[in-house]
Structures are given as structure tokens and as C-alpha cells.
Amino acid sequence: MKKSRPLNIPIRSRRLRRTSGIRRLFSETNVSPSHLVAPLFVVDGQGKPESISSLPGHFRFSISALVREAQRLARRGVGGIAIFPVIPQRLRTPGAKEALNPKGLIYRAIRTIKKELPEFPVFADVALDPYTSHGHDGLLNRSGKDVDNDSTVRFLTRQAVLLADAGADFVAPSDMMDGRIGYIRGALDKAGFTETGILSYAAKFASSLYGPFRDAVGSTQSAGTHSLDKRSYQADPASRRAILRDALLDEKEGADLLMVKPAGPYLDILRDLRENTLLPLAAYQVSGEYAQIHAAGQKGWVDLQKTRNESLLSIRRAGADIIFTYFAKDM
Ligand code: PBG
């Protein structure tokens, strides 16, 4: 076939996309397992791992199974783990007393993991939702209608110190109370935990994408309804300026890194933060994001692996240094 005469297009972007070698050479963003943090659920007892139906491929692990899972993840090069406790309903109270039991599940789990894998980074949530009978992240005020800020912060500082004492590398306040970062930093320092870091869930939105997580830890059941309303403390999904202000306050109060959560629908927020702070940034690709991609993949409506890779790449491109993701193990 005769080659037709080229059009007059001297500048052609496709030269830099021509072969896989060239594309690889100029690739601007990458996702390596070392950037990823795997969320893991732990439950008391010696039972077999319980599968979580809304989070396919994820389990509630006993402490010994959790250690084995952490070892597998470390071997695969995953960057770290975030551990969430599943507390039996009978130990949940309005005052979240079990959260301050130094022999409680999460503290034993962290101690055991750190003994086996001292170098493997462990993140631990600071929040009361696994422990409250109402499912909220904090203590309720006198009217019982809303979470009380200051008594919650006071409680969280004690939880953070216990988590640091158990060996968490980072405590991660996910509660969205005002002033908690400064008070937690102060409490950690006063107790001698100057080296324990604070990952602030700084831009955490009142999202509809936490459903599978709440099933996994059982806070949906505590609320007795699927509409656990956290809008008086988690950010309005319509906000952009307000949450940037909030996140930058966490930096001033001493956070070592800031998180945006959920990730995929909030990439603009991630980019805003990237342009307004020099701190490292984390993004949490939450349970509902995983569930969406997974379910469409299972149906064959999208290619699971490619959609997964693209979702993580986009989060990195928007500015995340590290990503909490339920895909960590598969990557
Ligand atoms: C609660 C907490 C939540 C998640 C992490 N920590 C849920 C919530 O705010 O109700 C959600 C994570 C996910 O959906 O994967 N402190």
C-alpha cells in the first residue's frame, strides 16, 4: 500500500507514546507496594479467619493469624499495616470503656506484631467507634444527640498513649474532633513517646463509602441502622475550602502526615493539600471504593486488575505519597 503523504503536523505527542519501552521511560507516576498500607481486622479468640462478605478477600483475623498475614504482606513488600479491632457487642458501652483497657485486643495485637516484625510500620486508629454502643467516634454530650468534642479529645489522648505504649509507629486519629492533634501530641510527648508519629485523618468526609468497613467492625449493628450520621464531625462532601483550612490546622498542631479519605472521589482535595503543605500525604481508598471496583470486576463489567491499578495510580498522581488500600496484598 502506498504511504499517503503526511499532514503538516510537526508537533506530535504520540512520539512519546509509541512503544511500551518509550511509554515506560516517560512514565510520570508509579505505584509500588512500598507505598501501600493494608488495613487489617483483628478479632479475639483462636478461631479461623472469618470472611467479610462486603469486603471480598478480607477477613477478621485472630491475633496469631494476623501476625501470619502481616508476615506475608511484609514479604510481598507492602509498606505497612493499619489494624482495626472488632470488639464484641457486649464490650461496647456508651462510654467506650474497653478502649482504655490496656489488655484490650488492639493493644495485644500491636504488641504481638511488633515483637515478630519490629521494623514493619503499624498504624493504629484513634477513635471510639469500635468501642461505643452507639457506633459514634466519640462520647455523646448530655442530650445524647451529638458527640461532645472536648471530653472526646480528652479520652482520645489516653487511647493514643496506650497505642503508642503498645508499639504503634503511628497513631491515626480518625475521629475529626477539633483540637485533637495538638492534645494528642502533647499527651504523647508528656508520656515520653516523642518518636511516635501522628497520621491525621485530616480531610475525612461524611461519606457513604464506609459501609463495608462498618459491617466489618460491627459499628453498623451498634447503630442499629445503616444511616449512622457522622455529619456533625466528618466533613461535608460539598466542602473544599473549609476542609483545607481544617487540614492545615492539623499540620500546625503537629501532625506528621495528613490523610484524605475517601480517596478516588476526593482527588481535588488531595491536590489542594499537595499544593498547600510540605507534609507527606496519605489517601485512604476506603472499603466502598474497593467494593465498587471489586463488584464490577466480578461481574465482568470492568477489568478488575486494570481498574484497580488505574484507581491507585490516579491517587498517587493527585499527590498521595502513601495509600491505604484493601488492594495492597494483590498489588
Ligand atoms: C472510623 C473509621 C472508619 C473508617 C476507618 N476508621 C469508618 C467511619 O468513619 O465510620 C473507614 C474505612 C473504610 O471504609 O475503609 N473511625
Side-chain angles (χ1 to χ4, degrees):
M1 209 174 77
K2 207 177 124 215
K3 221 175 161 188
S4 59
R5 257 190 58 214
L7 298 177
N8 180 24
I9 307 174
I11 298 169
R12 291 178 183 262
S13 304
R14 289 184 58 189
R15 285 181 202 122
L16 299 183
R17 301 185 196 128
R18 194 167 52 85
T19 67
S20 61
I22 292 174
R23 289 193 291 274
R24 186 163 160 263
L25 185 61
F26 292 106
S27 169
E28 295 177 48
T29 308
N30 70 331
V31 181
S32 106
S34 67
H35 302 135
L36 306 180
V37 173
L40 298 176
F41 300 97
V42 63
V43 68
D44 230 330
Q46 297 300 317
K48 282 216 193 82
E50 305 164 16
S51 58
I52 304 165
S53 62
S54 50
L55 274 176
H58 286 267
F59 301 87
R60 301 183 190 92
F61 292 111
S62 66
I63 291 181
S64 43
L66 183 78
V67 170
R68 287 192 295 275
E69 181 71 358
Q71 284 164 333
R72 280 190 288 272
L73 290 163
R75 232 180 291 124
R76 290 189 192 191
V78 168
I81 53 174
I83 312 174
F84 296 96
V86 181
I87 305 297
Q89 296 293 336
R90 64 183 165 78
L91 291 179
R92 299 182 193 210
T93 55
K97 195 163 140 249
E98 179 62 13
L100 299 183
N101 170 7
K103 299 205 173 81
L105 173 63
I106 187 67
Y107 307 114
R108 279 181 281 125
I110 296 171
R111 283 209 161 81
T112 315
I113 296 254
K114 292 309 287 188
K115 201 158 96 211
E116 299 296 322
L117 294 164
E119 298 273 316
F120 196 41
V122 170
F123 294 81
D125 243 40
V126 181
L128 304 187
D129 54 307
Y131 303 100
T132 50
S133 42
H134 42 71
H136 279 291
D137 291 21
L139 305 172
L140 300 184
N141 60 15
R142 223 176 281 148
S143 76
K145 291 215 177 78
D146 197 4
V147 171
D148 184 66
N149 194 84
D150 296 16
S151 59
T152 298
V153 170
R154 209 169 267 132
F155 193 109
L156 296 174
T157 61
R158 299 169 65 193
Q159 188 186 24
V161 168
L162 288 173
L163 291 166
D165 187 55
D169 297 281
F170 291 89
V171 295
S174 70
D175 55 290
M176 292 294 281
M177 296 304 123
D178 287 329
R180 81 245 207 249
I181 302 298
Y183 272 91
I184 288 173
R185 184 71 271 161
L188 290 175
D189 289 353
K190 193 165 151 228
F193 297 110
T194 52
E195 299 192 338
T196 306
I198 301 180
L199 162 90
S200 171
Y201 281 67
K204 175 167 177 177
F205 289 87
S207 172
S208 52
L209 294 168
Y210 306 145
F213 176 95
R214 291 179 190 174
D215 285 344
V217 298
S219 60
T220 314
Q221 293 95 298
S222 350
T225 155
H226 271 266
S227 58
L228 191 56
D229 187 351
K230 299 191 177 185
R231 286 177 299 175
S232 81
Y233 43 105
Q234 298 180 350
D236 179 358
S239 90
R240 183 174 164 192
R241 197 194 59 242
I243 196 60
L244 180 60
R245 167 180 182 245
D246 204 350
L248 295 177
L249 265 175
D250 288 358
E251 170 169 18
K252 283 206 196 95
E253 290 178 27
D256 297 283
L257 66 159
L258 302 177
M259 178 187 270
V260 175
K261 171 185 174 187
Y266 296 88
L267 297 183
D268 55 333
I269 308 295
L270 202 49
R271 174 53 49 181
D272 282 347
L273 270 176
R274 182 66 294 151
E275 287 170 357
N276 283 281
T277 175
L278 295 175
L279 290 182
L281 296 179
Y284 199 140
Q285 183 183 51
V286 300
S287 57
E289 298 178 77
Y290 174 85
Q292 288 175 335
I293 295 171
H294 211 277
Q298 288 300 304
K299 287 219 170 238
W301 291 347
V302 298
D303 182 303
L304 178 55
Q305 220 172 315
K306 287 188 183 151
T307 309
R308 172 194 81 197
N309 295 351
E310 189 178 331
S311 69
L312 294 171
L313 192 68
S314 302
I315 296 166
R316 288 268 300 156
R317 190 194 61 237
D321 298 285
I322 68 172
I323 308 175
F324 283 44
T325 173
Y326 299 91
F327 288 123
K329 195 177 174 185
D330 312 339
M331 288 297 287

